[in-house]
Amino acid sequence: MESNEKKPRYGMVIDLDRCNGCGNCTLACAVENNVPPAHENANERTGITWMRVQKVDNNRPYPENRSVYFPLTCQQCDHHTPCESVCPQKAVEYDTETGIVAQIPVRCLGCRYCMTACPYHARYFNWWDPEWPKGMETALNPDVSTRMRGVVEKCNFCHGRLQAARAKAAVEGRRAIADAEYIPACAESCPTKAIYFGNLADAGSEVSRLAKEKNSFRLLEQLGTEPKVYFRSEQSWVHEQMNAKLKTAEKEKIHG
Amino acid sequence: MNITRREILRFVGGSALGILLTPVPWKALDDSAIWTQNWPWIPEPVRGESSYKLTSCTLCSASCGLRARCIGNQPVSLSGISAHPLNSGALCSFGIIAHHLRYHPARLSRPCRISGKAGASGSTAMAFDELLLEVAAAINDASASSQTVAIVDGRPGRTASHLFQQFAAGLPNGKYITAGESSLEILGSMFEKPPGPLAYDLDNSKMILSFGVPLLDRWGTPARTARYLQKKSEGKQRIIQVETLQSRTAGMADRWIPIRPGTEAAFALGIAHVILKDKLFRDASKDIAEFETMIAAYPPSAVAEICGVSQDFIRDTAREFSANRPSVAVIDGSANSRHALAAVMALNILVGNVGRKGGVVVHREIPSPVALSKNKMSPISTLDAIPDHSIRAMLIDESLSGSSLPDGLLQKKLTGNGILVSLSPFVTERPFCTQYVIPSPVFLESLAELTGQADRESSSLSLSAPLVPEPAGMVDPIQFIQRLGSAAGVMNIDSGTTEELLKKRMTAIYSEKRGSIFNASNGQTSELKGLTSPDELWNVLFAGGCWMDSPETVRSLPAVRLTSVSTADRIKNIPPESNQLLLLPCAEDVIYRNSEISPLMSKVGQESGLRPSGCKVYLQTATGDALGLTDGCRVMLQTKKGSMQAEVRLDPSMMPDVAAAYSALNQQNIISLCEMNQDASLQPTPVKIQKV
Amino acid sequence: MDKKFISRGVSRTSIGNFGLWISPWALMLVVGLYAVMLCLFKGLNQTNMDNRFAFGLWIYLDLTVIALGAGAFFTGFLLYILKRKELKAVINSAVVIGFICYSGAVGVLMVDVGQPLRAWFTFWHPNVHSMLTEVTFCITCYLMVLAIEYVPVILKNRKIKHVSSMLVFEHELHKLIVVFAAVGTFLSFFHQGSLGGLYGVLIGRPFAFRPALGIWPTTFFLFIISAAAVGPSFILLTTALVSKITGKKLVKPEVYQLLGKISGSILIVYVLLKAIDTLIWINSTSPSLGFSAASFYKFSGFGTWIMFAEIVLCGLVPALMLLNQNIRQQFRWLITAALLACTGIVINRFVMTIQTLALPTLPFDAYMSYVPSWQEVATFLAVLAYGMLVYSFSFRYLTLFPQERELQSL
Amino acid sequence: MKFQFLWFLAGLCVMLFIGWIVFPYALYERREQPLQFSHKVHTETAGMSCDNCHAFKEDGRFTGIPALSKCMECHTDVIGTSPHERTLVDEYVKQNREIPWLVYARQPQNAYFSHASHVKLAGLNCDRCHGPHGTSDSLRTYARNRISGYSRDIWGNSISGIKTASWDGMKMDDCADCHNQHNVPNTCLKCHK
């Protein structure tokens, strides 16, 4: 069915030097994906934020202290996806069509094995049933299903938006969608435009170009999981801190 | 026939085998699993047609243009309009979830009276008419006993504001008070006669010297950071952040100058000292010599001592500030003393930033037929100018959240039996007086008018269209003042519905033929002159558009009095006694102090720790270690004014010996521990910290 | 009163005393079941687990309990396949303990998952790459095997024996016991291994990750061997404990010594392999993933002492003790050695489950701690109480130790 | 001995009867549609085509069952003789109330289905999944599974799960089978949201 052209590999490049830690990505994500407000007993370790911003500093005391904000989401590992192979009942799947790691909450039995497998802590368990203040449940996004307690959920690059873009293309008789037609809520909502999103398999795309730059790195690259979320910063301490291998331009050809 | 136990067992055995050969166990297994996937108590999103509606955000005066994605008529998500000249597609984190506000559990549905006596506080629901009678009685009482009736406006320049001014003019002791950007009000008051509404022209500035203003985080338009990063890469803008804490702005600015808490005024006077000494000033004020002697006590050496920074920082900053024109010095009015505001504003006067593009500019008044009607308007006054304990009734329009006056100040100005009448969607606890609260619609429910930006070169006007119906019994600001006026016998208020009055204003703006208009539906900005009718203007603004006034041309400004900068106050560091730290009250969300936010805000607070939630105190790691405190432990904060519990966060970016304390959204708690300046601004206060 | 149910030739305490003994366990079971209900109906917010500590006390205990319950399969393997007839003295007890351990673990797992009603999806839509699938399949099957092995023990009860068809059934079943023992051994090897693989495959947790031998990480094999090593030790300990509590001689001293010897011989192999595996991990696996092994031990609480305790103090030491005949013959030292061996495995399972999750992975992660809630503890205690009750009833009414009658008459 | 075996057989038969006859009946709750509707009358007598009412939106969404406003394009007042039409006008049109149709093919919220890609791109006909519904003269009784809440059409008519037609059954396996036949990827996210 699919034409011969290469299948997309969606990915992100996040410019840490542009992130001011406002949290819009976290909020827009929660709105888009029907993540409920916190249960009164929830905390930083039991709450659900598919996209979470974490402040990271250089461990130096005042006044030499410097910090950046890391927007952390599912890193969409392309290779040896740690969570996928461990799920006993295929609730996690590496989507070969898009490179997105899918989590299907209705298949999930809530064993949380995937959460222990994920080194990026990108997976969240529903410790409570979701609850919205009265009336707020009418403002949910119909493109994403709500979840129940006892299942794991995580970022899927706003796949509902991809489905919507495909439906629009289909009604116009197109099988492929243009790059601009699909952008996740976090990237769209970022007021400083720190999040670039696009197709890493397309060598001409901006994300491909940025991902190959020498200032770009990925988290825990040595694990060999080939995450599709890149970070970039021009501050050398960030690279040192992340123990990142700075790439030489010719060395790596991504997702070739 | 005799049925024995064994026969029953055989029957059961047969049944057990039989049931396995039917669909019952398998279907039950399958359907019960499906049941868990569709639990009836888990809400399902409503299905419906999807559409986009355009409007403007009312949360603050930044007036961001936004797109609401609607399912049926229900907005389900908000995003910025990328071509919008005010916000360039950016929304702030409050705005992006503002469509939830109408479902906030604390939403007020009926007018109520809240008893102010401590301990006896309780809210009594009442009819609007009944409430009007009681308030009118208090107003008449005030008029009779020549006490003041004040009306406080957080968003001046609206049509409603002008009606408020008419109301104040109609009373013998009526005062109209704005709670706008008070640093600019101070600057205005330094002129011999007011030059008109002032604003910072940040977009055109080459260098911004910010005294703790969260420029790159949440102050003014959320597009600021992206614009700054763009200009920075082109070498067109620099930001120097003078602030105790390593805030988000401090982290991104070109330079962060960490000064001791409460020493902003001293730092500014130190810069002024260098500017005068090195003859870097441009605008000679007639009392400049006098000013120089006044600040003689602030040479860089002394200031370095007070602020805890190197002298070079002071000299370099002074030179950069005067060399990189147009430059502008900004300071946040809600967090600093009036002395600090005046000292910083003096810098703008000294290097000639006032009245210049890229500095502090004068905005033109937006045409208003109400302002021109036969009904007289009261002039604008400030709460400072009103004697203490003289206000019998204070009316506050909080229907649009915005800068609000500190409770300490309000309390000081009210008489013993003073009442507070608030128009607001939510109840703000003010336990010091009897409060009447009238419910107003929230964002997206009513037609609202948005004027003026304190961070732009020219003023603008937008409309926020009602996308969803408002609940019954809501009152908008125009109805509020008209009803109150007629109840209190104040007859000189323009009549007409909100829509009629706003349409009249459109006609007035249209007839002036000045400025430009942004049309959100096609993303184009064009001259207002190109429009064919006032109705067209209305339609464009009603759909997320925006009218921008043309910038005021530079004109000669009236003379200034630099000596109104006072140094009398103790502008120096308070060395804390041994084993005491300096408590720095922090307001993460100062603009929203008297408003609620979407419950989803827990995502960036309670659930991720990105922004402080609950009561937290931040200490330098070394300071915490010295006090034997660990990250996450609970402590008691004790000052002369009281004590409260907080959770410790050790943070290497913190200045040693400083305790930055955040409390939950409503700031009452931390404020109650802090000593207050004369103008009700907070002072850094010595605090004892003990583990509990 | 219940005399006719008690095996011929052995004496049991009065029913009153027995009642006194079981009532605290019954109470503990009831409290635990209340905690279970809370978890099932209110959700797992009743526990202190969280997104970072997604596995907690329960998984740790599952792994431990199943390792200790390995005595059942390994004794069966030695008795029926390798024909070590001496072990007939403890096989029944081993089967009951195995059954308790496995059914308890499965029960706790059903509480531990967020959606127990969907647990059968693993059978319908299995992911064959997942160690957990392997574990689920093998444990479920092995639990059935254990149940089948348990049935003949029950059917031999003095009263039930009177039903002729039951006796025939028992006899036929017993003929097949070799088959079940073989199947059980096979299944056990797999799931003990899969439980080891559970953590060994976690590439995202360099502390636990081990390279693969064939398709399984080395922990797969280490878990099998370690479970086989401590299984007999645990049988030894439980037998001694029952003997102590009831004040009866249950098996001959040679049986204790044989169990100790078996345990020791396998434990020494395990310790050797574990040491090699650890060295490879320190020098190759961990650095290749970007982590120096030392970095995992810099947090207070989990220093290198835990590694020493696990491998030397509770590994090498008991192994050498158990291999020494003189020590084996002194009952006190035999028990000490068995206890150390079991402790070693308890520490190993703790290190694999809890320490792995406590350690940071991202460069800016914090070290995590976790304290189980009362509901988690009560649920665990319910399993303990359940085990106590099942064992107590089995001991009273069934023949767990065939040598008891003989030893009593001596 | 023979008699004893009969007891066993009796148990077996009772359960087979309950499991195959009583259970399927008890499992489903039957509900009548709020209003009768004839596709036949609309397509044949009124000469309308399917997409007159079941159309695609610009954004690729399918209207599914049209809203009352669609009915009101013709039925602002009674134009025929059917009593159901009178009900429509009196109870819904005049009171401006949407008709609470019971949707036979309603998928759960976790399933995503795009009519656009199946109809416009894959060229499927309506009856592939909806059977002869489009030519029916009346609306059959809607049956709802009491445990799962699903329409009976999702599982299919036969309790054993044996399909008698391509549209008999709309569960995941039915979708997956067709995808497999046509070599369309069967990844989770194709159909789940």
Side-chain angles (χ1 to χ4, degrees), chain B residues 15 21 31 34 38 45 47, chain D residues 15 20 57 107 109 145 150:
Chain B
S15 311
L21 300 174
D31 284 348
I34 295 175
N38 299 280
R47 297 168 197 243
Chain D
M15 273 303 150
W20 287 99
K57 294 274 158 190
Q107 291 288 336
Q109 61 148 338
N145 184 312
Y150 285 6

Side-chain angles (χ1 to χ4, degrees), chain B residues 545-604:
Chain B
C546 158
W547 171 75
M548 287 155 295
D549 204 349
S550 49
E552 179 69 291
T553 44
V554 181
R555 54 183 184 186
S556 60
L557 289 161
V560 289
R561 298 165 303 184
L562 275 174
T563 43
S564 61
V565 177
S566 157
T567 59
D569 199 40
R570 291 277 56 82
I571 309 173
K572 64 178 186 198
N573 192 30
I574 312 149
E577 298 161 34
S578 59
N579 83 17
Q580 288 201 346
L581 306 181
L582 213 47
L583 180 69
L584 185 60
C586 300
E588 260 287 309
D589 310 314
V590 78
I591 332 176
Y592 299 94
R593 225 162 71 188
N594 293 331
S595 174
E596 293 292 348
I597 49 176
S598 161
L600 211 56
M601 212 67 189
S602 66
K603 297 290 156 207
V604 293

Side-chain angles (χ1 to χ4, degrees), chain B residues 386-450:
Chain B
I386 296 174
D388 288 356
H389 308 299
S390 67
I391 300 179
R392 173 73 175 84
M394 179 139 37
L395 320 178
I396 307 185
D397 176 16
E398 294 173 306
S399 60
L400 303 178
S401 49
S403 312
S404 59
L405 295 166
D407 284 353
L409 193 56
L410 297 182
Q411 181 175 12
K412 211 161 76 169
K413 299 296 173 188
L414 280 178
T415 60
N417 61 348
I419 61 161
L420 217 142
V421 185
S422 154
L423 177 70
S424 168
F426 307 103
V427 174
T428 304
E429 292 291 330
R430 286 181 175 118
F432 51 82
C433 65
T434 299
Q435 196 184 172
Y436 294 88
V437 192
I438 298 145
S440 69
V442 295
F443 175 51
L444 295 180
E445 284 181 351
S446 72
L447 179 60
E449 187 189 16
L450 297 151

